[in-house]
Amino acid sequence: MESSLGISDTRLTDLLLDAVCVVDAEGRFRFVSAAGERIFGYPPQEMVGMAVLDLVLPADRERTRAAAQAVMDGRSHLAFENRYVRKDGSVVHLMWSARWYPSEGIRVGVARDVTQFKRAQAMQAALYAMSEAANASVDLSELFRRSHAIAAGLLPVSALAIVLQEQGQAAPHLAYHAGDPAQEACLLALCDLVWREGGAAVRTDSCASLVGVPLSAGASRLGVLALARACGGEYDAEERELLAYIAGQLGAAVQRRELQSRMKFMAMHDELTRLPNRRLFHDRLQTALARAQRQDSRVALLFIDLNRFKQVNDTHGHLAGDRLLEQVARRLASCIRDADTLARLGGDEFVVLLENIASRADADIVADKIGLALAAPFELGDGLVLAITASIGIACRPEHGDSMQALMARADKDMYRAKHGAAPCAAS
């Protein structure tokens, strides 16, 4: 049959970028235009006689069968989307328009390749979702849970694992796992492989297909993101590309979150000793006093000032002074409970906050422990050994007041009273 231009209809369809397909009532290709080879990967003549459903991705076959039946029942289909498996095994997303011709017993469909559009759409969705997750999550655990939901909405996921390397650690640790617990060991083994080799990896075991991708931000390696897919197919190239994109967004979010955490920590902690600073101590003291007032409980403050510390800096240098402060902080921390607060107010001044004590005697016991802890000489390196003492002032609620200002003023006054007659530091 020829058109009014004297050109055969077959030659006209060969000019189209979309594939024109003619399918018989049994669901087999009777004709495929030249664009079919670009879309399906098969030469058109090879597709003739093949069953349409044999090329459809298994997950899409049932709804494709239903759509085909709807067309044959006389309902034209416009913009129906499904996925086909190309000859090379890759997946192509198609958008169909189709119509049934009962007199000839055929349905004619026009297939448009929308793979790139679907990929861009998925990546845009991932970008928006990850951006929202990064801003809405209060911590990394929530960020990982949200990321898991995002991945599961875009990819087939039966289990997900995330390993992270934190500062000071030689190797990454498991930060998140959810899904089938039987797949955790396989995911962790894959994470270890990806971390060691530095690139994405795919594995298949008896129960799942696994894929792992590096979690990074710029040149910084942060960890690994790994997925497991239950039996029913492997992750294809398109899905692995989408996972890598999600991992890139997650890596950037993790890096921002860690930077924010470090900045917050630095704002609330002493840089040298890593103890709470004056600002954080004031917050904790205010909270402790409010709680003590509600519960009618006791609170004690211990102000600690190293005697003759300036002499250490003047005689042995500030590096020796810094090393001494670091060791003092560690010894002080060993004298208190986990629930208590030890802070550095500045210079050589430290403070201890004790909550829920029975009496002033409990504070005296802690002060005695501190005195004994500081009595042992300090080895500061390069053969330098120093002995130093401390003056301690104590204030208790409710005896010395109910406010932060009253207690701190009393403890400070008591400390300076204790300083009278303090022995000088000695070096050896």
Side-chain angles (χ1 to χ4, degrees):
M1 184 174 64
E2 293 192 355
S3 70
S4 60
L5 297 176
I7 304 173
S8 70
D9 289 343
T10 301
R11 290 172 61 190
L12 282 174
T13 59
D14 287 347
L15 297 175
L16 299 176
L17 295 177
D18 298 337
V20 178
C21 302
V22 178
V23 180
D24 61 24
E26 285 71 42
R28 295 185 177 277
F29 289 106
R30 286 179 53 180
F31 167 80
V32 179
S33 67
E37 185 167 4
R38 177 182 58 81
I39 293 175
F40 298 100
Y42 295 90
Q45 60 272 22
E46 189 176 338
M47 293 183 66
V48 173
M50 296 177 67
V52 172
L53 287 178
D54 287 347
L55 299 185
V56 176
L57 191 72
D60 291 355
R61 285 178 183 171
E62 190 55 43
R63 63 187 190 87
T64 300
R65 183 183 290 109
Q69 186 60 53
V71 171
M72 295 171 69
D73 289 342
R75 288 173 285 167
S76 295
H77 247 292
L78 298 175
F80 172 75
E81 294 184 14
N82 62 358
R83 293 167 294 177
Y84 280 66
V85 180
R86 291 167 48 87
K87 188 173 185 178
D88 61 6
S90 61
V91 175
V92 59
H93 291 258
L94 299 181
M95 179 182 291
W96 290 90
S97 296
R99 184 175 179 181
W100 171 248
Y101 293 89
S103 58
E104 289 85 2
I106 60 173
R107 66 178 187 267
V108 178
V110 178
R112 173 166 294 180
D113 184 351
V114 293
T115 303
Q116 294 299 326
F117 172 76
K118 298 296 288 186
R119 181 179 292 116
Q121 191 178 53
M123 289 184 174
Q124 186 179 51
L127 174 61
Y128 289 154
M130 288 301 304
S131 177
E132 181 179 358
N135 292 324
S137 301
V138 297
D139 54 28
L140 284 179
S141 296
E142 184 178 354
L143 175 61
F144 294 153
R145 287 194 297 271
R146 287 173 176 265
S147 300
H148 184 182
I150 292 167
L154 297 170
L155 299 166
V157 179
S158 56
L160 182 147
I162 298 172
V163 299
L164 287 182
Q165 184 184 40
E166 295 183 356
Q167 284 188 329
Q169 289 186 331
H173 70 284
L174 179 62
Y176 177 87
H177 175 268
D180 187 351
Q183 295 171 341
E184 180 177 346
C186 295
L187 283 172
L188 287 178
L190 182 60
C191 286
D192 181 64
L193 174 66
V194 172
W195 180 258
R196 285 186 287 105
E197 297 190 354
V202 178
R203 276 186 176 176
T204 302
D205 63 16
S206 58
C207 62
S209 173
L210 311 173
V211 58
V213 295
L215 205 58
S216 59
S220 301
R221 288 208 308 163
L222 305 175
V224 178
L225 169 63
L227 302 185
R229 174 178 184 166
C231 292
E234 298 181 355
Y235 288 106
D236 59 32
E238 179 184 339
E239 291 169 330
R240 295 197 298 271
E241 181 183 2
L242 181 55
L243 177 61
Y245 185 77
I246 293 174
Q249 298 301 312
L250 178 57
V254 168
Q255 187 181 60
R256 287 196 301 272
R257 180 71 61 175
E258 291 183 340
L259 178 59
Q260 291 169 354
S261 297
R262 286 197 297 270
M263 292 177 65
K264 182 177 180 181
F265 183 90
M266 290 171 62
M268 304 295 282
H269 291 78
D270 172 54
E271 184 177 359
L272 177 65
T273 63
R274 317 295 285 178
L275 294 177
N277 60 15
R278 184 183 296 269
R279 178 182 176 186
L280 180 55
F281 170 72
H282 284 175
D283 288 345
R284 291 189 179 179
L285 178 56
Q286 291 279 30
T287 301
L289 289 175
R291 185 162 44 240
Q293 289 169 4
R294 291 195 304 270
Q295 301 172 354
D296 194 23
S297 59
R298 290 180 175 273
V299 170
L301 290 185
L302 279 67
F303 270 30
I304 305 159
D305 187 89
L306 303 184
N307 298 319
R308 310 295 193 273
F309 179 74
K310 183 176 183 299
Q311 182 179 325
V312 176
N313 281 334
D314 293 345
T315 305
H316 304 288
H318 289 279
L319 179 58
D322 287 348
R323 290 174 178 171
L324 176 61
L325 291 173
E326 290 173 328
Q327 291 192 32
V328 166
R330 287 195 290 270
R331 293 192 190 184
L332 293 177
S334 69
C335 298
I336 62 176
R337 304 166 298 181
D338 290 341
D340 299 326
T341 295
L342 168 65
R344 182 187 178 199
L345 298 184
D348 59 330
E349 294 183 348
F350 297 84
V351 61
V352 171
L353 168 62
L354 305 175
E355 294 190 64
N356 294 315
I357 61 172
S359 67
R360 162 67 186 254
D362 290 338
D364 291 332
I365 291 172
V366 174
D368 290 341
K369 288 176 64 176
I370 289 173
L372 289 174
L374 299 182
F378 292 85
E379 297 183 4
L380 304 180
D382 299 326
L384 178 61
V385 179
L386 291 181
I388 197 165
T389 59
S391 298
I392 303 175
I394 301 175
C396 298
R397 177 206 180 270
E399 296 94 319
H400 302 134
D402 234 0
S403 68
M404 180 176 72
Q405 293 79 6
L407 291 178
M408 291 186 68
R410 176 56 186 255
D412 190 55
K413 182 178 179 181
D414 201 45
M415 180 191 69
Y416 277 102
R417 185 182 299 117
K419 255 189 178 301
H420 180 70
C425 66
S428 61

